[in-house]
Amino acid sequence: MAGITDFDSLRRAMAENSEEPEGPARNARAEQLLAEAEKLNIPLAVIEALGHQLKVYNYSSEKDKMFVPFARLLRMWDERPGDFDEYETHSLHWVFKWMTAGMLDQPHVPLASIEKWLGEMEHRYRLAGHSERAVRSAEFSVAGHIGDLPRAERAYAAWLAADRDRMADCHACELHGQGGWQLRSGRDEEALELWRPVLEGEYSCAHEPHTVLASSLLPLLRLGRFDEARAHHLRGFRLVRPMESMRGAYADHVEFCALTGNEARGLELLAERPAYFTDTGQPRSRMDFLAVVALLMDRLTELGLGGQRVPGPAGRTWTAGELAAHARGEALELAARFDARNGTSSVGDRLRERMAQRPLTDRLPLGVRAVRTAPAGPVAPAAPAAPAAPPGLPALLAEARRLSDTLQPHALEAWAAVARAAEETEVDTYVRAEITDHTAMGRGPEGVALFERAAELYAEAGDEGEAIAARARAAYVRALSGELDEALAGIDEPYDRILALYAQDATGVRQTASVLMSRARILMRRVHERSTGSAAAERAVRELLALVGGRGGTDVRLVSRAAEGRAMLAELAEHAGDGERAAELFRQASAQFVGAELPWFAVEYEVRVAALAHEQGDPAEAERALRSALEHGGPYVEPVGRAQLHLQLAEVVGGRGAAAEAADHALQAAHWADEAGESGTLGAWARHQLGGFLLRQGRFAEAAEVLESALADLRAETHGDGAVVQTQWWLGDCLSELGEHHAAAERRLQAAEIARHWHEQHDHATLAHLAAESLGNAGLPAEADQAYRRAGELWRAMGNVHFLVRSLRARAWLALRTEAGPAGARQLMADAVRECRQALESAGDPAAAERLAGELGQTHRQFGDLLARSVSEDAEDAAIQEAFEAALTEMTEAISVFAGLGADALHSRTGAELAAGWLEADLSRPADAAARARAVLAAYEGADPADETVRARQAEARQLLEPTEQ
């Protein structure tokens, strides 16, 4: 292991290893570093290497290894405490807490040893002058684990009563433990309230809010706070995923999936962590993990998927049923070992309760792609459960006729039941006609022959009117099948015959209206397909309306004919270019269906109104219509239709700035797209939109999870390369906010590569610029400079001086961290000044000139900052003075430019004035520094005292004045 030659190189190596991902590789490196430390013959080096080893063991799946280095550290302390510096002394006492928790996690460690160790901890803390707060917290953990609730209650009270000192756990960890006690006591609300400061980011640490987010999932579900539970899962799992040591929190997320109808996602989580099935370093977290595996597998088995292949321990393939038995057996065996050690049944009791949990909701949409494991529920409300004795044919027939007469959604299913019952008994000719007629209605293009047969049977039964209506329906089906000419020819004879019969009172309004409707529909097909015959179609529709207008009453069939007729007139108006008239007629048709208690028929027309409103630039009406469509359709709209409605509403609502509500609709759209089997198409687009709306709300972790899920399915050929670029762009923004700068750069560069081929290059340049920013934040200055150079060339080609200058300034700062050094940095900043001045000289528009002047002022200001910072502290005094004088010159130029811009640039001017003042002070010119400070205070006389910038500038100016006044 080259490079470990002294204590400093050892410390650098340990610091580097600390930044590596948790796991066996980091642990092995810590073991090697300990061996190297022992060669240095420096006691403190060995102490620090042991402490490093202990820490990486604790934050890994090999927690059982940390007892050996701790025992060695404790022995070294007892023998030679003077070898420990202040930090290592603190660390030694700190990890006493880890030892107590670590022993609890190992069932082979006797309870007596744990109690003895707890006493040892208390004794050593007292000798060191520490509060007993950490000791009582550890005692609380022991009592809670073994199920001694009275002792746990006493320890809990003593824990909270003791003073906080340096040995107490951080606020975040303490609140997690306190909330856990409330949870165990059945106080979900109280637990969540205790966790609130951690969930809101007030307190955090290496493992928080990770574990609090995981622990909050079940209480939120039990309280019906599903939106928060969803958010905590997406946000929390993203934090837990890369941390090997967090198997317990990971298990909480698997459990959440099992209890919310997200079994498929639970399987995905198991597949990501195969080692969690077998890692034995922390038996307690393995027991918890196996318990939720059993819970998830039991759920799959209940859904009829016990034979499905699932991820499991390596070495063989597993079905859900097999893994359920294996995981339950392993978990119970571990629980039995803990209970045997503890002398209670507490661990096993809690484990059995956990594995016996029932789902807390049928399905909680998460926004990320998920395959439905349970069969999707019916589109419309399910019919009542069948009685023990199935209904006979008369009852089935009566129900089918009732549903048909009232145009209910389940009518065709009811007629199918009649058809099945009729196969076993003799029925009259009219019933056979009805069965054939309704069977034809469900066959689409294949129904023509059946309609003709139904017509024959109706005629044989003596109902000539219904026979003609069946032939008219056959003609319409031909039109739907593309046989428009045949349909037009085939409708004439039924039309003439039905009118003749109606004139003779030989048939009723229903049959006549049915034929007129079929004819109108066929003529409308001709208008849509051939853009001809509008006048004929309108005459046919108006003839229908003249027949049924005012005759409906309680006859919903006639009301529906009238409503559909109005919708046809709306289509004709739209075809003629009269959008306002079309929208009004569609609204009337919708209102008629709703008034007849047939709201599901209104959905199509409200959607048409929304489309027209969108074309007319009326988003409010589009939103109203879409909301009505969702309300009227209710559960009757097919999943793909519901997805489309929610997605359209998300876009409209989002367009007026209501990002939270828009996100809710996009979430529903993604859910229903998954239900419809459209995850890769409509679902991907919905997730794309959802991620954008979450980003707009600042919910970066949730947005990142959703956008990553969307990218798995987004395809340029299906969704357009613009959608792919936008998703990558948004994801880069999220990752940047989350501090994942390297990943952000990758996403932005990928998006830039696609945008590179577009005719318009603004997005390409912007993405290259953003990628450069991320690369710089990721500690890759050379790569960042290359990206800024690329962006700068694009900005120059587009004539965008502002961003060209900003790219040059960014490169100048980066140069201080690369081989270009201070000289290269100064040259780049000088180039930025030159570009600004040249653009300003040629600017013809006063507003553009003002913006360029502001850019020039900022460039001089940054140039001054760069010059002052580019000189090293150990440089010669003359070099330092020269750099500060040059910096002061640039600051003076900035002040001059900002002064010329008036009140709008006041804050920029005073900021530069104060920076110049500090330079004057560093150059030993206190009078000049004081003059600049007074100029700032004068500039803010009478300014708003509530303005934070004003207060900050005034405070800094007074601070600059203090040495002079003294």
Side-chain angles (χ1 to χ4, degrees), residues 502 516 539-551:
Y502 184 66
L516 295 185
R539 286 194 298 272
V541 173
R542 293 198 179 282
E543 183 179 17
L544 168 68
L545 290 173
L547 175 69
V548 300
R551 293 190 176 218

Short mmCIF file of all heavy atoms in Angstrom, two decimals, residues 502 516 539-551:
data_model
loop_
_atom_site.label_atom_id
_atom_site.label_comp_id
_atom_site.label_asym_id
_atom_site.label_seq_id
_atom_site.Cartn_x
_atom_site.Cartn_y
_atom_site.Cartn_z
N TYR A 502 -94.41 4.34 -38.96
CA TYR A 502 -94.71 5.32 -37.92
C TYR A 502 -95.92 6.16 -38.31
O TYR A 502 -96.78 6.47 -37.46
CB TYR A 502 -93.49 6.21 -37.69
CG TYR A 502 -93.69 7.21 -36.56
CD1 TYR A 502 -93.83 6.77 -35.25
CD2 TYR A 502 -93.74 8.57 -36.81
CE1 TYR A 502 -94.01 7.68 -34.21
CE2 TYR A 502 -93.93 9.49 -35.78
CZ TYR A 502 -94.07 9.03 -34.47
OH TYR A 502 -94.25 9.93 -33.44
N LEU A 516 -83.67 6.69 -37.24
CA LEU A 516 -83.23 8.03 -37.60
C LEU A 516 -81.84 8.33 -37.03
O LEU A 516 -81.03 9.01 -37.66
CB LEU A 516 -84.24 9.07 -37.10
CG LEU A 516 -85.63 9.04 -37.72
CD1 LEU A 516 -86.47 10.21 -37.20
CD2 LEU A 516 -85.57 9.08 -39.24
N ARG A 539 -79.79 18.05 -41.82
CA ARG A 539 -81.23 17.79 -41.99
C ARG A 539 -81.63 16.51 -41.25
O ARG A 539 -82.69 16.45 -40.62
CB ARG A 539 -81.58 17.67 -43.48
CG ARG A 539 -81.57 19.01 -44.22
CD ARG A 539 -82.25 18.88 -45.58
NE ARG A 539 -81.55 17.94 -46.45
CZ ARG A 539 -80.55 18.27 -47.26
NH1 ARG A 539 -80.12 19.53 -47.31
NH2 ARG A 539 -79.98 17.37 -48.04
N ALA A 540 -80.76 15.49 -41.33
CA ALA A 540 -81.07 14.22 -40.66
C ALA A 540 -81.11 14.40 -39.14
O ALA A 540 -81.99 13.85 -38.46
CB ALA A 540 -80.03 13.17 -41.05
N VAL A 541 -80.18 15.17 -38.63
CA VAL A 541 -80.15 15.40 -37.18
C VAL A 541 -81.38 16.18 -36.74
O VAL A 541 -82.01 15.86 -35.72
CB VAL A 541 -78.85 16.13 -36.78
CG1 VAL A 541 -78.91 16.51 -35.30
CG2 VAL A 541 -77.63 15.26 -37.06
N ARG A 542 -81.71 17.20 -37.49
CA ARG A 542 -82.86 18.02 -37.09
C ARG A 542 -84.16 17.22 -37.22
O ARG A 542 -85.10 17.43 -36.44
CB ARG A 542 -82.91 19.28 -37.94
CG ARG A 542 -81.73 20.21 -37.64
CD ARG A 542 -81.96 21.62 -38.09
NE ARG A 542 -80.81 22.48 -37.76
CZ ARG A 542 -80.57 22.98 -36.57
NH1 ARG A 542 -81.40 22.75 -35.55
NH2 ARG A 542 -79.51 23.76 -36.36
N GLU A 543 -84.22 16.31 -38.17
CA GLU A 543 -85.40 15.44 -38.27
C GLU A 543 -85.52 14.56 -37.02
O GLU A 543 -86.62 14.37 -36.48
CB GLU A 543 -85.28 14.57 -39.52
CG GLU A 543 -86.49 13.67 -39.77
CD GLU A 543 -86.36 12.83 -41.02
OE1 GLU A 543 -85.22 12.67 -41.53
OE2 GLU A 543 -87.38 12.29 -41.48
N LEU A 544 -84.37 14.06 -36.56
CA LEU A 544 -84.35 13.26 -35.34
C LEU A 544 -84.82 14.10 -34.15
O LEU A 544 -85.66 13.66 -33.35
CB LEU A 544 -82.93 12.73 -35.08
CG LEU A 544 -82.66 12.11 -33.70
CD1 LEU A 544 -83.44 10.80 -33.54
CD2 LEU A 544 -81.17 11.87 -33.49
N LEU A 545 -84.27 15.31 -34.03
CA LEU A 545 -84.64 16.17 -32.91
C LEU A 545 -86.10 16.56 -32.95
O LEU A 545 -86.76 16.69 -31.91
CB LEU A 545 -83.75 17.42 -32.90
CG LEU A 545 -82.28 17.19 -32.54
CD1 LEU A 545 -81.47 18.47 -32.73
CD2 LEU A 545 -82.16 16.70 -31.10
N ALA A 546 -86.65 16.74 -34.14
CA ALA A 546 -88.08 17.08 -34.27
C ALA A 546 -88.95 15.93 -33.79
O ALA A 546 -90.04 16.14 -33.21
CB ALA A 546 -88.41 17.40 -35.73
N LEU A 547 -88.44 14.70 -33.98
CA LEU A 547 -89.22 13.53 -33.55
C LEU A 547 -89.19 13.37 -32.03
O LEU A 547 -90.22 13.13 -31.41
CB LEU A 547 -88.64 12.26 -34.21
CG LEU A 547 -89.27 10.94 -33.76
CD1 LEU A 547 -90.72 10.83 -34.25
CD2 LEU A 547 -88.44 9.75 -34.24
N VAL A 548 -88.01 13.50 -31.43
CA VAL A 548 -87.89 13.18 -30.01
C VAL A 548 -87.97 14.41 -29.12
O VAL A 548 -88.13 14.29 -27.91
CB VAL A 548 -86.56 12.45 -29.72
CG1 VAL A 548 -86.50 11.14 -30.51
CG2 VAL A 548 -85.36 13.32 -30.04
N GLY A 549 -87.83 15.61 -29.68
CA GLY A 549 -87.84 16.82 -28.87
C GLY A 549 -89.11 16.95 -28.06
O GLY A 549 -90.21 16.91 -28.59
N GLY A 550 -88.97 17.08 -26.76
CA GLY A 550 -90.12 17.24 -25.88
C GLY A 550 -90.85 15.96 -25.58
O GLY A 550 -91.82 15.96 -24.81
N ARG A 551 -90.42 14.84 -26.16
CA ARG A 551 -91.12 13.57 -25.92
C ARG A 551 -90.41 12.71 -24.90
O ARG A 551 -90.91 11.64 -24.57
CB ARG A 551 -91.21 12.77 -27.23
CG ARG A 551 -92.10 13.41 -28.28
CD ARG A 551 -92.29 12.43 -29.41
NE ARG A 551 -93.22 12.94 -30.39
CZ ARG A 551 -94.12 12.17 -31.02
NH1 ARG A 551 -94.20 10.90 -30.73
NH2 ARG A 551 -94.92 12.70 -31.92
#
